[in-house]
Amino acid sequence: MTDIFLEGGRTLIGSELVETSLALSGQDIAEIDASRGRARLAIDARNLLVLPGIVDLHGDAFERQMMPRAGVDFPIDVALADSDRQAISNGITTVFHATTCSWEPGLRSADNARGLMEAIERQRPQFAADTRFHLRHETYNLDAETEINQWLSEGRVDLFAFNDHMDGTVGDMAKPRKRNRMVERTGLSSEEFDRLVGRVLSRASGVPASVSRLAAAARAADVRMLSHDDATPVMRQGFRAMGVAIAEFPINEETAREAASHGDAIVYGAPNVVRGGSHTGWTKASDMIAKGLCSVLASDYYYPAQLLAAFRLAADGVLPLTEAWNLVSAAPARATGLADRGVLAEGRRADILLVDDGVPLRPRLIAVISGGKLVHLTDATRLLGMAATPREAVVAA
């Protein structure tokens, strides 16, 4: 692995932007305020921002690579390779693929979740981003409990979320446009879909006990858990009591306040910030951030959103960029237990972005370094060239 030297740059060190140079060795940051020394590759970072790589704990945009149109499927390995390129080119150096394991057949089925997990495991060495498996368990999918329990015990799940979209599914069945989208996703006929929903609803009484058992299994496996779309403070309290410490997209302010009052990580979608509000009409993320009720921004369904959201928050005066960047880097790393990344410090993993912020609200990625490797470059004039390799090193090789 080639050692890399980053010359100059406004570098995020702690809570400040500091003009300094970095030396990288292997996968890690070796020295801050460094000189080039014998680094074989140097990059001119002057007049650029040097920021920790983005950590995305919930991204499901990969589904569009798998099924770009309803009923049009592409192989999982192709979809994941394309998603990796998209994530890296948007500054995401650690990505948790949020994979739904539902009672539905098709794109969000248990079979598809299993296939995704296995494909991530096979392809992980080939990816530029550190790629992990975030399992989104639809709680009414009682038939999957035994298999999920096994996955947890085998260490194959990196994050585990409890989802319950049944009320929304039942409500959307009376809305032709949304109903058609759901039915197309499953590949069923309209009549078959109705019968399936009826069978799933008939087992509702078994859901709470299943959630409790799976939470216990995740605790035993030391897998961090999330609850999705918490609707009330009582709901958040119930999940917290089971060890679920991450509140993902709480749908109102009182629930977010309950989470914040107990130190829970609170996740909202970065697209919400970029677009100026939720596409569902629920909580406005920038308002929650301003009130101290959001600690993490995730890409959700759009990989470019985290990079754009941090600069949008700074431009709108919600947070200075140094604090806004924590929402997409240090805080998600902390929430997911990844203590080796999210900040630029000696000994930490070398996940680093070089960003041109010359155009307001449109940051441009110049380079991405992931695990000490230069994996993305958009301006080759920034390369300062390879240092001469000492003769003794060549002879030894």
Side-chain angles (χ1 to χ4, degrees):
M1 184 177 293
T2 300
D3 289 352
I4 299 175
F5 176 69
L6 303 180
E7 182 175 313
R10 291 168 288 143
T11 305
L12 182 58
I13 305 294
S15 60
E16 297 182 352
L17 291 171
V18 179
E19 293 275 355
T20 192
S21 297
L22 303 180
L24 317 181
S25 181
Q27 290 191 329
D28 301 328
I29 299 170
E31 187 179 356
I32 295 172
D33 197 20
S35 56
R36 179 171 182 179
R38 292 187 175 183
R40 298 189 64 207
L41 177 63
I43 303 174
D44 180 5
R46 289 172 296 180
N47 301 313
L48 299 178
L49 288 168
V50 180
L51 303 168
I54 293 170
V55 177
D56 183 17
L57 62 70
H58 176 128
D60 58 27
F62 67 88
E63 288 186 342
R64 282 201 298 278
Q65 279 67 260
M66 294 177 64
M67 186 181 285
R69 292 183 177 178
V72 179
D73 299 308
F74 281 84
I76 290 176
D77 62 332
V78 173
L80 288 177
D82 188 24
S83 298
D84 178 61
R85 290 190 290 270
Q86 289 191 31
I88 282 292
S89 67
N90 286 290
I92 301 170
T93 52
T94 302
V95 58
F96 288 80
H97 284 320
T99 304
T100 300
C101 182
S102 174
W103 46 266
E104 296 181 19
L107 180 64
R108 296 185 171 179
S109 66
D111 287 342
N112 201 50
R114 186 185 312 108
L116 268 161
M117 179 183 67
E118 292 170 351
I120 289 169
E121 291 170 348
R122 285 194 306 271
Q123 292 177 251
R124 188 172 279 133
Q126 305 165 22
F127 294 140
D130 182 6
T131 303
R132 296 165 181 254
F133 184 58
H134 170 169
L135 182 61
R136 306 178 67 205
H137 168 56
E138 283 290 340
T139 58
Y140 275 72
N141 188 15
L142 299 178
D143 291 337
E145 181 183 332
T146 299
E147 187 171 26
I148 290 173
N149 204 330
Q150 181 177 349
W151 294 349
L152 288 165
S153 67
E154 292 172 348
R156 304 177 77 181
V157 178
D158 299 297
L159 282 179
F160 184 49
F162 292 102
N163 291 13
D164 178 4
H165 289 110
M166 184 53 72
D167 286 347
T169 297
V170 172
D172 287 345
M173 289 178 72
K175 303 170 184 175
R177 184 177 175 184
K178 291 188 175 182
R179 175 191 174 86
N180 290 341
R181 192 182 307 144
M182 287 191 298
V183 173
E184 286 177 348
R185 189 172 67 203
T186 64
L188 299 174
S189 70
S190 184
E191 295 77 14
E192 289 170 333
F193 184 75
D194 288 349
R195 288 195 292 271
L196 173 61
V197 172
R199 287 198 301 271
V200 172
L201 279 171
S202 71
R203 303 176 67 188
S205 62
V207 170
S210 175
V211 169
S212 181
R213 288 190 296 268
L214 283 170
R219 291 196 304 272
D222 198 26
V223 175
R224 301 206 176 193
M225 292 179 282
L226 312 85
S227 57
H228 184 77
D229 287 352
D230 288 346
T232 66
V234 171
M235 186 179 294
R236 176 87 287 270
Q237 291 163 9
F239 276 114
R240 186 187 305 111
M242 291 186 286
V244 184
I246 304 174
E248 189 179 52
F249 313 137
I251 69 173
N252 51 53
E253 185 172 329
E254 54 266 32
T255 303
R257 287 196 179 280
E258 165 62 29
S261 69
H262 287 79
D264 300 337
I266 305 170
V267 182
Y268 282 107
N272 185 313
V273 173
V274 177
R275 298 180 67 252
S278 169
H279 70 283
T280 64
W282 288 350
T283 311
K284 187 175 179 180
S286 58
D287 289 347
M288 295 295 99
I289 293 166
K291 294 173 181 178
L293 299 177
C294 170
S295 53
V296 173
L297 285 175
S299 78
D300 198 2
Y301 55 86
Y302 190 61
Y303 288 132
Q306 286 172 288
L307 176 67
L308 295 172
F311 284 84
R312 172 73 185 267
L313 289 168
D316 290 350
V318 178
L319 289 177
L321 181 64
T322 53
E323 294 181 26
W325 199 257
N326 285 337
L327 298 174
V328 300
S329 191
R334 189 164 52 248
T336 54
L338 298 176
D340 64 339
R341 67 198 71 187
V343 297
L344 302 181
E346 293 176 2
R348 297 296 183 96
R349 181 180 162 96
D351 292 340
I352 302 172
L353 313 183
L354 273 58
V355 180
D356 180 352
D357 63 339
V359 178
L361 295 176
R362 292 296 179 266
R364 184 168 71 96
L365 272 175
I366 301 300
V368 178
I369 295 166
S370 179
K373 294 181 180 179
L374 178 63
V375 294
H376 181 74
L377 181 70
T378 61
D379 184 356
T381 66
R382 290 279 177 175
L383 293 176
L384 296 177
M386 305 289 278
T389 303
R391 184 175 182 280
E392 59 270 22
V394 175
V395 172

